[in-house]
Amino acid sequence: MYAQMVKTEAVRPLDEQSPQERAFQQRIDRGEKIEPKEWMPEGYRKTLIRQIGQHAHSEIVGQLPEGNWITRAPTLERKAILIAKVQDEAGHGLYLYCAAETLGVSRDELLALLHSGKMKYSSIFNYPTLSWADVGAVGWLVDGAAIMNQVPLQRCSYGPYARAMVRICKEESFHQRQGYDIMMKMAFGAPAQKAMAQDALNRFWYPSLMMFGPSDKDSVHSTQSMRWKIKINSNDELRQKFVDQTAPQAKYLGLTIPDDKLAWNEERGGYDFSEPDWSEFYDVLAGDGPCNKERLGARVKAWDDGGWVREGLMAHARKRET
Amino acid sequence: MSSEWPLWEVFIRGQHGLNHRHVGSLHAPDAALALKNARDVYTRRNEGVSIWVVKSNDITASSPSDKGPLFEPANSKIYRHPTFYDIPDDVGRM
């Protein structure tokens, strides 16, 4: 998802856990929220920092592919909408960084880990946005996939993360709908516009499916996270839900999902579909996607170029205090 | 010297005259910018009519381990709730 392949530890049998760890697990099983200053296993804390940090980084880096189109939006209204959307993404990143910081990591540490490549952001933002239709496809598919993951996370066990998710989900629906609105305009427009919409769907379909992460049978990190309720659904479950929801939406647009195997399976009550090319996913995660260097480069440059502003404002504040 | 901006907690009063409510936190170099940032981060959709910001360091919080001594005494004092008392119907609304 926005957090993919988050490393965690292997599940340990009950008799190997300390009484404190067992009591902690029981609190989670009872549906209690864990709050910042309370005792928590080190693994829970570390996994959450990785997951929330990666989620925050994704929101921030996710501004870049769309920000690319702000100056070239086709109308003033579309431009205002896109600015509002990109500003929301910045806000989502900030909510999430704050949630991560309650676990005892600083904002600067998190950013340093992103900039050095030690922490990741979602693979999806390493793909380029080549046409205006891509902005529609990102809202419709990428934000649509994000919602699938974020709605259940509102119930996750860590209080600050759950509360950040509540705020984010309230705003996310606008993102998806404005994307679909762009897709409708394009798909029902001139043949050239429709072709652009189809091209955007062709390029963003499989990368969107990859957002959910590898199949559960290959996902080594899920079990403990699900026990801790910081991951609520399995990757395959969410991916299936996403395809089931999206296929009829594509049909309404008169666009074709680029998958010959896509077909309704009456027996299962869901769509059959092809898996994405997972070797591509691992390449993108390892840094070899189409835009990895550009995206991270833009973040590092923004951080470096902003250094004098951060320091100057802090120096000013200190001077005024004394 | 670290230039990381201090953390501020943000409280917002919504439209309907309720108390200021904690909505989250943010980093800012000083109070004036904390207010400006709070407006941008937490009130993009008309969420409030008033903002308070306070440095997180200035907040004193109860410790989770004090939960018992602090809050359990209230559990046994059910006579503090109106439903503890049976008032006959004949008395009318009370």
Coordinates of all heavy atoms in Angstrom, one line a residue, chain A residues 88 92 95 166-168 170-171, chain B residues 10-21 23 38-51:
Chain A
D88 N -3.7 18.9 0.3 CA -4.2 17.8 1.2 C -3.1 16.8 1.4 O -2.9 16.3 2.5 CB -5.4 17.1 0.6 CG -6.8 17.8 0.9 OD1 -6.7 18.8 1.7 OD2 -7.8 17.3 0.4
H92 N -1.7 15.4 4.8 CA -1.7 14.0 5.2 C -0.3 13.5 5.7 O -0.2 12.8 6.7 CB -2.2 13.1 4.1 CG -3.6 13.3 3.6 ND1 -4.2 12.7 2.6 CD2 -4.5 14.2 4.2 CE1 -5.5 13.1 2.5 NE2 -5.7 14.0 3.4
Y95 N 0.2 15.0 9.2 CA -0.5 14.2 10.3 C 0.2 13.0 10.6 O 0.4 12.6 11.8 CB -1.9 13.7 9.8 CG -2.9 14.7 9.2 CD1 -3.9 14.3 8.4 CD2 -2.9 16.1 9.6 CE1 -4.9 15.2 7.8 CE2 -3.8 17.0 9.1 CZ -4.8 16.5 8.2 OH -5.7 17.4 7.7
V166 N -8.5 8.7 10.4 CA -9.8 9.2 10.4 C -9.8 10.6 9.6 O -10.6 10.8 8.7 CB -10.4 9.4 11.8 CG1 -11.7 10.2 11.8 CG2 -10.6 8.1 12.5
R167 N -8.9 11.4 9.9 CA -8.8 12.7 9.2 C -8.5 12.5 7.8 O -9.1 13.2 6.9 CB -7.6 13.5 9.8 CG -7.8 14.0 11.3 CD -6.7 15.0 11.6 NE -7.0 16.3 10.9 CZ -7.9 17.2 11.4 NH1 -8.5 17.0 12.6 NH2 -8.1 18.3 10.7
I168 N -7.6 11.6 7.5 CA -7.2 11.4 6.1 C -8.3 10.8 5.3 O -8.6 11.3 4.1 CB -5.9 10.5 6.0 CG1 -4.7 11.2 6.5 CG2 -5.7 10.0 4.6 CD1 -3.5 10.4 6.6
K170 N -11.5 11.2 5.6 CA -12.5 12.2 5.4 C -12.2 13.0 4.1 O -13.0 13.4 3.4 CB -12.5 13.2 6.5 CG -13.5 12.8 7.6 CD -13.7 14.0 8.6 CE -14.2 13.5 9.9 NZ -13.9 14.3 11.0
E171 N -10.9 13.2 3.9 CA -10.5 14.0 2.8 C -10.2 13.2 1.5 O -10.2 13.8 0.4 CB -9.2 14.8 3.2 CG -9.5 15.7 4.3 CD -8.3 16.4 4.9 OE1 -7.1 16.1 4.5 OE2 -8.4 17.3 5.7
Chain B
V10 N -2.3 21.5 18.7 CA -3.3 22.4 18.2 C -4.7 22.0 18.7 O -5.1 20.9 18.7 CB -3.3 22.2 16.6 CG1 -4.3 23.2 16.0 CG2 -1.9 22.5 16.1
F11 N -5.4 23.0 19.1 CA -6.8 22.9 19.6 C -7.7 23.8 18.8 O -7.3 25.0 18.5 CB -6.8 23.3 21.1 CG -6.0 22.5 22.0 CD1 -4.6 22.7 22.1 CD2 -6.5 21.4 22.7 CE1 -3.8 22.0 22.9 CE2 -5.6 20.6 23.5 CZ -4.3 20.9 23.6
I12 N -8.8 23.3 18.4 CA -9.7 24.0 17.5 C -11.1 24.0 18.1 O -11.6 23.0 18.5 CB -9.7 23.5 16.1 CG1 -8.3 23.9 15.5 CG2 -10.8 24.0 15.2 CD1 -8.1 23.3 14.1
R13 N -11.8 25.2 18.1 CA -13.2 25.3 18.4 C -14.0 25.2 17.1 O -13.7 26.0 16.2 CB -13.5 26.6 19.1 CG -14.9 26.6 19.7 CD -15.5 28.0 19.8 NE -14.8 28.8 20.8 CZ -14.9 28.7 22.1 NH1 -15.5 27.8 22.7 NH2 -14.2 29.6 22.8
G14 N -14.9 24.3 17.0 CA -15.7 24.1 15.8 C -16.8 25.1 15.7 O -16.8 26.0 16.5
Q15 N -17.6 24.9 14.7 CA -18.6 26.0 14.4 C -19.6 26.2 15.5 O -20.2 27.2 15.6 CB -19.4 25.5 13.1 CG -18.5 25.3 12.0 CD -18.0 26.5 11.3 OE1 -18.5 27.6 11.6 NE2 -17.1 26.4 10.4
H16 N -19.9 25.1 16.3 CA -21.1 25.2 17.1 C -21.0 25.5 18.6 O -21.7 25.0 19.4 CB -21.9 23.8 16.9 CG -22.1 23.5 15.5 ND1 -22.9 24.3 14.7 CD2 -21.6 22.6 14.6 CE1 -22.9 23.8 13.4 NE2 -22.1 22.8 13.4
G17 N -19.9 26.3 18.8 CA -19.8 26.8 20.2 C -19.3 25.7 21.2 O -19.5 25.9 22.4
L18 N -18.7 24.7 20.7 CA -18.2 23.7 21.7 C -16.8 24.1 22.2 O -16.2 25.0 21.7 CB -18.2 22.3 21.0 CG -19.6 21.7 20.6 CD1 -19.4 20.4 19.8 CD2 -20.5 21.5 21.8
N19 N -16.3 23.3 23.1 CA -15.0 23.6 23.6 C -13.9 23.4 22.5 O -14.1 22.7 21.6 CB -14.6 22.5 24.7 CG -15.4 22.7 25.9 OD1 -15.8 23.8 26.3 ND2 -15.7 21.6 26.6
H20 N -12.8 24.1 22.7 CA -11.6 23.8 21.8 C -11.3 22.3 22.0 O -11.3 21.8 23.2 CB -10.4 24.7 22.2 CG -10.5 26.1 21.8 ND1 -11.3 27.0 22.4 CD2 -9.9 26.7 20.7 CE1 -11.2 28.2 21.7 NE2 -10.4 28.0 20.7
R21 N -10.9 21.7 21.0 CA -10.7 20.2 21.0 C -9.3 20.0 20.4 O -9.0 20.6 19.4 CB -11.8 19.5 20.3 CG -11.8 18.1 20.5 CD -13.1 17.5 19.9 NE -12.7 16.2 19.5 CZ -13.2 15.6 18.4 NH1 -13.9 16.2 17.5 NH2 -12.8 14.4 18.1
V23 N -6.7 18.6 18.0 CA -6.9 18.0 16.7 C -5.6 17.3 16.2 O -5.6 16.5 15.3 CB -7.4 19.0 15.7 CG1 -8.8 19.4 16.0 CG2 -6.5 20.2 15.6
A38 N -1.2 25.9 11.7 CA -2.4 25.2 12.1 C -3.6 25.5 11.2 O -4.4 24.6 10.9 CB -2.7 25.6 13.6
R39 N -3.7 26.7 10.8 CA -4.8 27.1 9.9 C -4.7 26.3 8.6 O -5.6 25.7 8.1 CB -4.7 28.6 9.6 CG -5.9 29.1 8.9 CD -5.6 30.3 8.0 NE -4.9 29.9 6.8 CZ -5.1 30.5 5.7 NH1 -6.0 31.4 5.5 NH2 -4.3 30.1 4.6
D40 N -3.4 26.2 8.1 CA -3.3 25.4 6.8 C -3.4 23.9 7.0 O -3.9 23.3 6.1 CB -1.9 25.7 6.2 CG -1.8 27.1 5.7 OD1 -2.8 27.8 5.5 OD2 -0.6 27.6 5.4
V41 N -2.9 23.4 8.1 CA -2.9 21.9 8.2 C -4.3 21.4 8.7 O -4.7 20.4 8.4 CB -1.8 21.5 9.1 CG1 -1.8 20.0 9.3 CG2 -0.4 21.9 8.6
Y42 N -4.9 22.2 9.6 CA -6.1 21.6 10.3 C -7.4 22.3 10.0 O -8.4 21.8 10.5 CB -5.8 21.6 11.8 CG -4.8 20.6 12.2 CD1 -3.5 21.0 12.6 CD2 -5.0 19.2 12.2 CE1 -2.5 20.1 12.9 CE2 -4.0 18.3 12.5 CZ -2.8 18.7 12.9 OH -1.8 17.8 13.2
T43 N -7.4 23.3 9.2 CA -8.8 24.0 9.0 C -8.9 24.3 7.5 O -9.4 25.3 7.1 CB -8.9 25.3 9.8 OG1 -8.0 26.3 9.3 CG2 -8.7 25.1 11.2
R44 N -8.6 23.3 6.6 CA -8.7 23.6 5.2 C -10.2 23.5 4.8 O -10.6 23.8 3.6 CB -7.9 22.6 4.4 CG -6.4 22.8 4.5 CD -5.6 22.1 3.4 NE -5.9 20.6 3.5 CZ -5.3 19.8 4.4 NH1 -4.4 20.4 5.3 NH2 -5.5 18.6 4.4
R45 N -11.0 22.9 5.6 CA -12.4 22.7 5.2 C -13.4 23.3 6.3 O -14.3 22.6 6.7 CB -12.7 21.2 5.0 CG -12.1 20.7 3.7 CD -12.4 19.3 3.5 NE -11.8 18.8 2.2 CZ -10.5 18.6 2.0 NH1 -9.6 18.7 3.0 NH2 -10.1 18.2 0.9
N46 N -13.1 24.5 6.7 CA -14.0 25.2 7.6 C -14.2 24.5 9.0 O -15.3 24.5 9.5 CB -15.4 25.3 7.0 CG -15.6 26.6 6.4 OD1 -15.1 27.6 6.9 ND2 -16.3 26.7 5.3
E47 N -13.2 23.8 9.4 CA -13.3 23.0 10.7 C -13.5 23.8 11.9 O -13.9 23.3 12.9 CB -12.2 22.0 10.9 CG -12.2 20.8 9.9 CD -11.4 21.0 8.7 OE1 -11.2 22.2 8.3 OE2 -11.1 20.1 8.0
G48 N -13.1 25.1 11.8 CA -13.1 25.8 13.1 C -13.3 27.3 13.0 O -13.3 27.9 11.9
V49 N -13.6 27.9 14.2 CA -13.7 29.4 14.2 C -12.6 30.0 15.2 O -12.6 31.2 15.3 CB -15.1 29.8 14.7 CG1 -16.1 29.4 13.7 CG2 -15.4 29.2 16.0
S50 N -11.8 29.1 15.8 CA -10.8 29.6 16.7 C -9.7 28.6 16.9 O -10.1 27.4 16.9 CB -11.5 30.0 18.1 OG -10.5 30.1 19.1
I51 N -8.5 29.0 17.0 CA -7.4 28.0 17.1 C -6.6 28.4 18.4 O -6.3 29.6 18.6 CB -6.4 28.1 15.9 CG1 -7.2 27.8 14.6 CG2 -5.3 27.1 16.1 CD1 -6.3 28.0 13.4

